[in-house]
Amino acid sequence: MNRVVVIGGGVGGLAAAWALRGRAEVTVLEAADRIGGKLRTTPLAGVPVDEGAESLMALRPEAVDLAEAVGLGGTLRDPAPGPVTLWSRGALRTLPPGHVMGVPPDPAALEGTGLLSAAGLARLREEEALPAPPLPADGPDVSVAAYLGGRLGREAVDRLVEPLLGGVYAGEVDRLSLRSALGPVAALAGRGGSLLAALRNRPARPPRAAVRGLAGGTGLLPEAVALASGARVLTGVRVTALRRTAGAWRIATAVGRATGTLTADAVVLAVPAHAAAPLLAALAPEAAAALGAVRHADTAVVALAFPPDAEAALPPGNGFLVPSVEGRAIKAATYLSRKWGWPSGGPCVVRASLGRSGESGVLAEPDEVLAARALADLRAAAGPLPAPLAVRVTRWPAGLPQYDTGHARRTDLARRAAAELPGLALCGAAYEGVGVAACVASGLRAAETVAGARTMPGTRTMPGRTPGAGTTPGWMPGAAPVQVPAQASVPGQASGPGPQGG
């Protein structure tokens, strides 16, 4: 049986290991003391609270299908219904339904919302009268602001589109690629004609939740995938070098001061772009240069547990997003207990997200300062809130790759260069999207690449859960094999993801 080493124990790498079960002898190496990357759930005031991603994209199937395949189907939950709300111009304002990442198909629906000024709304109405040649698919990449600013006006971009993209990428609309960050809008732009008219004429989508959660937190997913994969999963193991020899890969490792080497037939490099670049520098310099050019944003999540009766004081909805032009510390807030309905009768948990691309100082502040700023913004937006029972600050340095203009070209180049090396595949948040579903999809694709197959298990016909044997201890001195019971806490509570946890 072929030997495959997956470098990186985030959800993308674990998905690759799961997809290779029964076809290869798989070892997963994770530099941090825990698996899961940005998926981590730990107790706050006695209840499980996600420190990173708190939902799975349901409009694309990969993450939800994987959760079902590894035995978590019974824990999947839809969020409470609620509108998209923006904290804009000093008030919480509801974005009318029907938008595509903030782009409204009908300017009339914005009247009376206060989301745009009279001048901004008038400029938006001009869109359908503007010349609209097709955006060439093979032409230069353009930023979100450059294209949508020309179509909708800059105010609409800053007040409507930017806060939604900021909630996903923590990016800057002047740098984010239209094609990479807003693919559906770019596809409409490629046809030419009015963008707003095209949005109104789209086929109606069956009503369903855009995201789903896991009762008990998304941190359940990586441990369940690791268990079902049957792979040997080792934490606290850094990969220091990769070398290709005749017919095999040599993976240099370090555990504390101890060093070692693994031999494998194939490697899945499932680490963030900034960690992959140095490992590829000697093997595939073009790939290393392309990945090294990917910028990353630092972010932080402040979770606050309030007394249960604070729930009644919160405004309607599940939370709100904040345009960067507002100059606030937070970029989003989620009323977590209300959104997911758990735990019943427990504290009222609210999460606030901080940090955007270009904000270099967010992680330089001490925890108490970040927590105070988040609480001040929450009180300014949502009204009086009592003193929290507990507060937790989670830092994610270089946590989100930036899908800037030229991003697709860079990552395609990296994948093509890697493909020239037999038995090497790349996956993670830099390639197909930053969400959990996109990371899972990239892991499944990487598994098929190293397995030599041309087709993947269909995302809607994933095989059922395959019982796996946790991990095999005793591989190398100092390495910590991860024992992953079906629904237990992931070992370790590091303050952030390891460099191989993406």
Side-chain angles (χ1 to χ4, degrees):
M1 182 176 286
N2 288 339
R3 297 159 299 171
V4 178
V5 169
V6 177
I7 303 173
V11 72
L14 294 172
W18 177 84
L20 289 166
R21 71 202 187 287
R23 296 190 285 173
E25 182 182 289
V26 181
T27 298
V28 179
L29 305 179
E30 169 55 50
D33 63 356
R34 46 169 287 278
I35 59 173
K38 310 303 185 297
L39 301 186
R40 181 169 67 200
T41 308
T42 52
L44 180 69
V47 298
V49 176
D50 290 313
E51 298 192 46
E54 43 91 10
S55 64
L56 315 176
M57 171 61 72
L59 298 181
R60 60 181 297 173
E62 294 88 352
V64 170
D65 282 357
L66 181 60
E68 291 175 339
V70 299
L72 295 177
T75 70
L76 286 165
R77 299 288 187 273
D78 289 340
V84 174
T85 302
L86 305 179
W87 186 24
S88 183
R89 305 183 194 277
L92 294 175
R93 306 176 189 275
T94 299
L95 187 61
H99 65 89
V100 175
M101 287 301 287
V103 181
D106 183 8
L110 294 171
E111 293 180 3
T113 64
L115 288 166
L116 295 181
S117 68
L121 189 54
R123 173 62 181 84
L124 180 62
R125 287 196 178 98
E126 294 174 3
E127 192 275 341
E128 297 191 54
L130 296 175
L135 186 67
D138 57 352
D141 202 1
V142 296
S143 73
V144 169
Y147 182 78
L148 290 184
R151 298 301 313 168
L152 313 177
R154 183 68 196 219
E155 185 180 339
V157 173
D158 289 342
R159 293 284 174 178
L160 305 179
V161 179
E162 187 278 336
L164 278 80
L165 286 176
V168 176
Y169 295 98
E172 302 166 76
V173 288
D174 288 296
R175 303 184 73 164
L176 284 173
S177 161
L178 180 74
R179 293 193 182 98
S180 296
L182 282 177
V185 173
L188 294 177
R191 302 175 192 171
S194 165
L195 181 59
L196 300 187
L199 289 174
R200 288 197 299 272
N201 293 328
R202 286 183 311 147
R205 191 185 73 192
R208 61 188 176 104
V211 297
R212 303 195 76 188
L214 295 175
T218 59
L220 296 177
L221 182 62
E223 60 199 31
V225 175
L227 176 67
S229 74
R232 179 171 57 172
V233 182
L234 300 168
T235 60
V237 181
R238 293 181 294 110
V239 172
T240 58
L242 283 176
R243 186 161 58 93
R244 178 72 185 172
T245 60
W249 285 91
R250 304 277 287 177
I251 300 105
T253 61
V255 179
R257 295 183 179 179
T259 60
T261 302
L262 270 177
T263 301
D265 301 297
V267 170
V268 174
L269 192 53
V271 299
H274 60 80
L279 293 176
L280 294 171
L283 290 164
E286 284 188 332
L291 294 178
V294 176
R295 298 185 311 116
H296 292 72
D298 297 335
T299 61
V301 176
V302 179
L304 306 101
F306 296 100
D309 57 6
E311 164 73 25
L314 291 174
N318 293 329
F320 56 87
L321 300 164
V322 188
S324 62
V325 292
E326 290 292 323
R328 295 289 181 173
I330 66 174
K331 64 182 180 184
T334 304
Y335 312 147
L336 211 61
S337 304
R338 179 185 294 171
K339 181 176 180 179
W340 298 114
W342 67 71
S344 178
C348 170
V349 179
V350 179
R351 292 197 339 165
S353 301
L354 299 86
R356 294 180 172 91
S357 170
E359 294 181 353
S360 58
V362 64
L363 297 190
E365 301 287 359
D367 284 0
E368 57 269 22
V369 172
L370 293 179
R373 289 181 176 174
L375 183 57
D377 276 357
L378 287 171
R379 285 172 169 159
L385 288 170
L389 303 172
V391 179
R392 180 177 65 212
V393 177
T394 304
R395 298 162 181 270
W396 298 111
L400 283 172
Q402 294 301 289
Y403 280 52
D404 292 340
T405 52
H407 182 81
R409 177 185 56 79
R410 286 187 288 272
T411 53
D412 286 349
L413 188 157
R415 275 178 156 170
R416 287 196 305 270
E420 295 179 5
L421 298 168
L424 177 65
L426 311 177
C427 70
Y431 302 97
E432 299 182 25
V434 299
V436 179
C439 291
V440 169
S442 74
L444 299 178
R445 174 176 171 177
E448 297 311 315
T449 298
V450 299
R454 301 307 299 173
T455 58
M456 291 171 30
T459 56
R460 279 297 174 193
T461 57
M462 282 186 174
R465 179 179 181 179
T466 300
T471 54
T472 304
W475 168 61
M476 66 188 299
V482 178
Q483 303 297 335
V484 278
Q487 294 189 16
S489 297
V490 177
Q493 295 185 20
S495 62
Q500 294 163 15

